[in-house]
Amino acid sequence: MTEKIAITPATHTAPPAKFSHGVRKGNILQVAGQVGFLPHVDGQEPTSAGPTLREQTLQTLENVRSVLEAGGATWDDVMMLRVYLTDTTHFEEMNGIYNAYFEEQNLKEVPSARTTVYVGLPGGLLIEIDALAVLDPAV
């Protein structure tokens, strides 16, 4: 049986509870929900990329990408993204930011299937994104 490997990029703080930023088992990589915190600085509390949906969305996508890369994956390996928004009025704006971000990634195909749901998030956070990636079995 393949063991589970916890993934925590150097740019991320330790999670606030007993979970990992990502877990890889065989060729499956699950990225835990990421938010718009700037890269970790020793001795500092996590800091939001800014108050706007744009700032937080772009940073959140970069945080997902960093977990993917630390687990040996790329955006091309992602099968499913789940987007959690705090406000239904942010849907259209988030889609524009999301589409522009992925246009810049030079992907072979559309990034993945996606679900968007609405939730409450703490401390001024507006968005959270998680991902499921399936890597080439030879990797």
Side-chain angles (χ1 to χ4, degrees):
M1 176 157 295
T2 307
E3 71 177 290
K4 292 191 295 184
I5 301 168
I7 308 294
T8 300
T11 56
H12 286 53
T13 60
K18 294 223 176 255
F19 65 89
S20 301
H21 286 288
V23 175
R24 181 168 172 178
K25 184 170 182 172
N27 67 330
I28 305 293
L29 173 61
Q30 176 65 56
V31 177
Q34 301 295 303
V35 294
F37 287 146
L38 294 169
H40 172 65
V41 175
D42 285 337
Q44 289 186 7
E45 291 293 316
T47 305
S48 173
T52 69
L53 181 65
R54 177 175 185 72
E55 292 165 315
Q56 289 189 30
T57 300
L58 292 173
Q59 186 63 53
T60 299
L61 288 164
E62 284 302 301
N63 291 344
V64 171
R65 185 188 55 74
S66 70
V67 178
L68 289 169
E69 289 178 355
T74 69
W75 284 120
D76 284 316
D77 298 309
V78 173
M79 299 297 293
M80 179 66 180
L81 286 169
R82 283 171 291 272
V83 176
Y84 306 89
L85 291 172
T86 60
D87 188 333
T88 58
T89 64
H90 289 162
F91 185 73
E92 186 175 338
E93 180 183 0
M94 185 277 301
N95 277 336
I97 298 162
Y98 178 97
N99 289 341
Y101 176 88
F102 282 110
E103 284 174 15
E104 295 173 2
Q105 301 306 305
N106 298 317
L107 301 178
K108 296 175 192 165
E109 40 188 89
V110 175
S112 66
R114 190 187 97 191
T115 298
T116 303
V117 297
Y118 301 95
V119 298
L121 293 171
L125 294 172
L126 303 173
I127 186 168
E128 181 173 345
I129 300 173
D130 72 35
L132 175 65
V134 178
L135 290 74
D136 182 332
V139 174

